[in-house]
């Protein structure tokens, strides 16, 4: 962070030298007063325009800096505002405290956003449909294009600023615990072990209560390009207790379907198709709702959501646009391997 900060009494020549040292990163300086208050931003373009106006290289950077800059508030990051900053082409965004001192610098080329949520990833299942691959390896650690399935999800969460990630484990738990002894994508992932099979969401009750208000709970055996940022914004705007990520699912009937009423045929529809939304195994849940889980019993996500609906808690859904693969069979696994190998070839 220090490389991007320059004091307001520095000269334009010193600023050019500082920008030159930033080669390979976002070449923008943040100008601060001696007591740390941020007052502007400075790029080589700003300096060039100042020189064209006749300002000498010995002049202070305040003569060329841009005073109308965008920033985020420490402890209260506005995700929607951050999204708009990124869309407008701003890549280096300062985070300021109440005294306008720089507490962090967000480089959106590395971390697209900072979502105020934690994540719990369910990784306790046996993956029986992928045997023999899962006889000696837990399903989340099965490799797709040279990388463990679960690591794709850790990396995607880290890219949107989620640093509090817990993985709940059971089957071959020691392998997952060993895997996460080293950080993944810069995140120190925590593991919590079930003492009995707790269902598809029950083990979330073993994770200490969150402090951010919202928790992402997801299955570990998914590959998806879901926008976690859009999912979060949808969840926050809807005021939901639970938001279910959903995938379009179409059912085609190869017959003519009869519409009937009291024994009479009222219509005939030839080979109709029906569109539904299916549960994608990714949920945003308010921490108050998640706190209702009991740590001493098995709970499946479908039962948890059904009970929430019965209790008149608000449950919304968010359609996924993009890739979503549930690696539940050898066919799914082969498709995932082919897809990610192709993606890797395009990015290398």
């Amino acid at each position: 962070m220090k490389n991007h900060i320059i004091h307001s009494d520095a000269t334009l020549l010193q600023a050019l030298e500082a920008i030159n040292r930033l080669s390979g990163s976002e070449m923008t300086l943040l100008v601060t007063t001696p007591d740390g208050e941020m007052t502007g931003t400075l790029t080589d373009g700003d300096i060039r325009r100042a020189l064209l106006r006749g300002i000498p290289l010995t002049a202070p950077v305040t003569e060329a800096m841009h005073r109308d800059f965008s920033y985020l508030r420490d402890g209260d990051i506005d995700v929607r505002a951050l999204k708009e900053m990124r869309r407008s082409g701003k890549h280096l965004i300062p985070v300021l405290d109440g005294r306008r001192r720089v507490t962090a610098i967000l480089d959106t080329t590395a971390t697209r956003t900072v979502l105020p949520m934690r994540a719990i990833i369910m990784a306790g299942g046996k993956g029986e449909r992928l045997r023999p691959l899962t006889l000696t390896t837990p399903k989340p650690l099965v490799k797709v294009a040279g990388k463990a399935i679960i690591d794709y999800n850790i990396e995607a969460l880290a890219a949107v600023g989620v640093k509090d990630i817990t993985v709940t484990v059971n089957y071959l738990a020691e392998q997952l615990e060993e895997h996460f002894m080293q950080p993944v994508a810069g995140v120190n992932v925590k593991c919590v072990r079930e003492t009995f099979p707790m269902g598809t969401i029950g083990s979330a009750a073993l994770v200490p209560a969150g402090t951010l208000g919202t928790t992402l709970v997801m299955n570990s055996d998914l590959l998806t390009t879901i926008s976690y940022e859009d999912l979060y914004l949808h969840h926050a705007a809807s005021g939901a207790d639970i938001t279910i990520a959903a995938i379009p699912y179409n059912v085609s009937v190869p017959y003519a379907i009869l519409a009937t009423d009291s024994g009479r045929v009222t219509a005939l529809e030839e080979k109709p198709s029906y569109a539904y939304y299916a549960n994608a195994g990714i949920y945003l849940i308010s921490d108050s709702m998640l706190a209702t889980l009991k740590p001493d019993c098995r709970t499946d996500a479908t039962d948890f959501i059904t009970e929430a609906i019965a209790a008149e808690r608000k449950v919304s859904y968010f359609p996924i646009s993009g890739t979503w693969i549930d690696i539940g069979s050898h066919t799914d696994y082969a498709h995932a391997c082919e897809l990610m190998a192709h993606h890797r070839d395009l990015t290398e």
Side-chain angles (χ1 to χ4, degrees):
M1 185 174 81
K2 291 181 179 179
N3 291 340
H4 284 280
I5 293 178
I6 191 166
H7 289 161
S8 54
D9 57 0
T11 66
L12 294 180
L13 179 59
Q14 290 172 319
L16 281 174
E17 292 169 343
I19 290 173
N20 189 58
R21 290 193 294 270
L22 292 175
S23 180
S25 64
E26 190 66 23
M27 299 176 74
T28 300
L29 296 175
L30 309 183
V31 182
T32 62
T33 63
D35 61 358
E37 178 185 351
M38 183 175 170
T39 57
T41 61
L42 189 69
T43 66
D44 57 349
D46 294 326
I47 297 174
R48 183 174 63 253
R49 285 184 286 272
L51 294 176
L52 290 173
R53 295 199 308 270
I55 296 173
L57 283 172
T58 54
V61 293
T62 52
E63 294 292 316
M65 72 181 186
H66 188 66
R67 298 176 184 273
D68 183 18
F69 57 90
S70 299
Y71 66 94
L72 297 167
R73 297 181 185 276
D74 190 16
D76 186 24
I77 290 178
D78 186 330
V79 177
R80 191 172 296 280
L82 173 53
K83 183 177 182 179
E84 291 304 315
M85 291 178 200
R86 194 177 68 243
R87 281 181 170 176
S88 67
K90 297 179 176 67
H91 300 303
L92 201 72
I93 303 172
V95 180
L96 308 183
D97 64 14
R99 295 173 60 185
R100 294 174 68 90
R101 294 174 302 185
V102 181
T103 60
I105 300 175
L106 180 61
D107 183 352
T108 61
T109 62
T111 304
R112 290 179 55 79
T113 187
V114 179
L115 301 181
M117 65 184 192
R118 61 173 180 159
I120 301 174
I121 301 179
M122 306 286 109
K126 294 182 178 180
E128 293 177 340
R129 288 184 295 165
L130 273 188
R131 289 180 176 175
L133 291 175
T134 54
L135 285 174
T136 57
T137 302
K139 185 178 177 181
L141 293 185
V142 171
K143 291 190 175 181
V144 171
K147 185 186 299 182
I149 296 170
I150 196 170
D151 285 355
Y152 285 101
N153 295 312
I154 301 294
E155 291 173 357
L157 291 168
V160 293
V162 179
K163 301 299 184 184
D164 184 353
I165 302 177
T166 301
V167 176
T168 64
V169 299
N170 188 333
Y171 177 67
L172 299 177
E174 64 283 351
Q175 291 188 37
L176 283 155
E177 290 166 346
E178 182 179 357
H179 178 77
F180 288 118
M181 289 180 68
Q182 300 297 325
V184 176
V187 177
N188 292 312
V189 179
K190 302 178 287 290
C191 289
V192 171
R193 189 184 291 211
E194 295 178 335
T195 56
F196 63 93
M198 297 184 68
T200 56
I201 201 172
S203 58
L206 302 178
V207 182
T211 59
L212 298 176
T214 305
T215 298
L216 177 89
V217 180
M218 68 180 295
N219 298 339
S220 63
D221 54 357
L222 304 175
L223 287 180
T224 180
T225 57
I226 185 175
S227 170
Y228 290 112
E229 181 180 54
D230 288 344
L231 171 63
Y232 175 82
L233 289 172
H234 173 89
H235 176 77
S238 69
D241 295 293
I242 303 174
T243 298
I244 306 169
I247 56 167
Y249 189 81
N250 297 315
V251 177
S252 297
V253 180
Y255 309 107
I257 296 300
L258 280 63
T260 62
D261 181 21
S262 301
R264 295 177 60 248
V265 176
T266 58
L268 197 66
E269 187 174 3
E270 185 69 27
K271 298 180 180 179
S273 292
Y274 301 98
Y276 300 96
Y277 281 110
N279 183 358
I282 303 171
Y283 317 95
L284 272 186
I285 307 173
S286 69
D287 287 342
S288 61
M289 185 75 215
L290 203 61
T292 64
L293 281 170
K294 297 179 175 59
D296 57 353
C297 63
R298 175 188 173 95
T299 307
D300 287 326
T302 50
D303 296 330
F304 180 66
I305 293 167
T306 299
E307 291 171 4
I309 294 171
E312 298 186 346
R313 304 293 288 262
K314 186 171 182 180
V315 178
S316 69
Y317 71 96
F318 174 80
I320 294 176
S321 60
T323 300
W324 179 88
I325 303 174
D326 175 12
I327 306 177
S329 68
H330 285 278
T331 300
D332 296 328
Y333 176 65
H335 176 53
C337 289
E338 181 181 0
L339 181 68
M340 298 313 297
H342 177 66
H343 175 73
R344 185 178 59 187
D345 290 343
L346 291 176
T347 56
E348 286 181 350

